[in-house]
Amino acid sequence: MASDMNLKPIGIVRNGITDARHHGWRDVISEIIVEEALAGALGGLEECSHLIILYWMHRLTAGRSLPLTVHPGGHPELPLVGRFATRSPHRPNPIGQATVALLGRAGNVLTVKGLDAIDGTPVLDIKPYMPKYDAAPDARVPTWLTRL
Amino acid sequence: MASDMNLKPIGIVRNGITDARHHGWRDVISEIIVEEALAGALGGLEECSHLIILYWMHRLTAGRSLPLTVHPGGHPELPLVGRFATRSPHRPNPIGQATVALLGRAGNVLTVKGLDAIDGTPVLDIKPYMPKYDAAPDARVPTWLTRL
């Protein structure tokens, strides 16, 4: 199964940020430079107020040798929980996912707000945010999350 | 950049469904069989009511030779829009993403509702759904979406 799961970037993040930070991304403005050959696949995207961006966290430690448990957000006072129960960026498959606001589009360049990815991050996919698929208005979250 | 973007599955979907369908996934119950070696990374996940599942759409046509535009949902009466403006499962990088309800966990097996992936789909990542990152309550969607 899945003998060939290789990715090719469709674009790249530009925002001038070179340090991976845990917080402060909400107001960051980024450009996503989509490959020219794929610009035609962006038509109509500007009708969406929000997008889901999948990206490759190319500078972070990843893979199967990571500890299975982690303190959420790196806070030692929070309980150790399984890595998949957290949004730690260090994961077996280092795919990041962010819901961002689309501020504008000029040809193959999207301007977005709230993307938590450093400058140079390869972008894997761009999807329109659709509440009927993506929202879970009644979601219950772990108690530790309320202490972050 | 991104010279080595290879994925390894962390688990597999089991739901007995062998035909890729466009609709009717909302009530589908699936099991996600996580590799035994990674079961320890699931601890605490049961505190989350909803998860985001990333998976590899291994049986679908994908890649860069796809047409750049598409009729949303395959409906010819809807306008042609860019592929990235739709949730078409046929994408340059065939990564699917679903917000699902977590019904239960038994060791390395998660039972979820609403995962739109066929039996045997490789799972890439499991993330807790966190409204502060994932919800966009004020999202505006394309007008064609309201006609689907």
Side-chain angles (χ1 to χ4, degrees), chain A residues 17-141:
Chain A
I17 297 177
T18 55
D19 58 317
R21 296 180 294 178
H22 278 234
H23 301 289
W25 291 102
R26 189 175 291 266
D27 295 321
V28 169
I29 309 288
S30 300
E31 285 185 342
I32 297 175
I33 317 294
V34 175
E35 287 186 19
E36 290 278 4
L38 293 171
L42 300 174
L45 205 63
E46 55 273 20
E47 276 204 76
C48 307
S49 67
H50 291 76
L51 306 177
I52 294 172
I53 310 298
L54 300 182
Y55 54 96
W56 187 258
M57 299 184 282
H58 64 310
R59 293 263 299 278
L60 295 180
T61 309
R64 275 142 196 280
S65 55
L66 293 166
L68 295 175
T69 58
V70 62
H71 293 288
H75 298 289
E77 70 275 20
L78 293 181
L80 271 177
V81 296
R83 191 168 290 279
F84 291 134
T86 78
R87 295 294 277 257
S88 166
H90 305 281
R91 313 184 77 80
N93 290 307
I95 303 174
Q97 180 222 325
T99 298
V100 304
L102 175 63
L103 302 183
R105 173 188 162 218
N108 66 320
V109 179
L110 304 177
T111 303
V112 301
K113 182 175 173 182
L115 178 58
D116 56 342
I118 64 171
D119 195 276
T121 295
V123 175
L124 304 174
D125 201 3
I126 298 166
K127 301 181 195 278
Y129 178 88
M130 295 186 171
K132 74 171 179 172
Y133 298 129
D134 302 311
D138 54 344
R140 177 174 43 80
V141 297

Side-chain angles (χ1 to χ4, degrees), chain A residues 5-9 35 41 43 47 49 64 82 84 87 91 93 95 124-129 134 136 140, chain B residues 5-9 35 41 43 47 49 64 82 84 87 91 93 95 124-129 134 136 140:
Chain A
M5 301 204 298
N6 300 312
L7 301 164
K8 279 191 69 174
E35 287 186 19
E47 276 204 76
S49 67
R64 275 142 196 280
F84 291 134
R87 295 294 277 257
R91 313 184 77 80
N93 290 307
I95 303 174
L124 304 174
D125 201 3
I126 298 166
K127 301 181 195 278
Y129 178 88
D134 302 311
R140 177 174 43 80
Chain B
M5 300 204 300
N6 300 313
L7 300 164
K8 277 192 71 174
E35 288 186 18
E47 275 204 76
S49 66
R64 277 143 196 279
F84 290 134
R87 294 294 276 261
R91 314 185 75 82
N93 290 308
I95 303 173
L124 304 174
D125 201 3
I126 298 166
K127 300 181 197 276
Y129 178 89
D134 302 311
R140 178 174 41 81

Side-chain angles (χ1 to χ4, degrees), chain B residues 101-122:
Chain B
L102 175 63
L103 303 183
R105 173 189 162 219
N108 66 318
V109 179
L110 305 176
T111 303
V112 302
K113 182 176 173 182
L115 178 60
D116 56 342
I118 63 171
D119 195 275
T121 297

Side-chain angles (χ1 to χ4, degrees), chain B residues 41-147:
Chain B
L42 300 174
L45 205 63
E46 55 273 20
E47 275 204 76
C48 308
S49 66
H50 291 76
L51 307 176
I52 294 172
I53 309 297
L54 300 182
Y55 53 96
W56 186 259
M57 298 183 282
H58 63 310
R59 293 263 298 278
L60 295 179
T61 310
R64 277 143 196 279
S65 54
L66 293 167
L68 296 175
T69 58
V70 62
H71 292 289
H75 297 289
E77 70 274 20
L78 293 181
L80 271 177
V81 297
R83 190 168 291 278
F84 290 134
T86 78
R87 294 294 276 261
S88 167
H90 304 280
R91 314 185 75 82
N93 290 308
I95 303 173
Q97 181 221 322
T99 298
V100 304
L102 175 63
L103 303 183
R105 173 189 162 219
N108 66 318
V109 179
L110 305 176
T111 303
V112 302
K113 182 176 173 182
L115 178 60
D116 56 342
I118 63 171
D119 195 275
T121 297
V123 174
L124 304 174
D125 201 3
I126 298 166
K127 300 181 197 276
Y129 178 89
M130 295 185 170
K132 74 171 179 174
Y133 299 128
D134 302 311
D138 55 344
R140 178 174 41 81
V141 297
T143 48
W144 56 256
L145 186 65
T146 63
R147 297 165 57 195

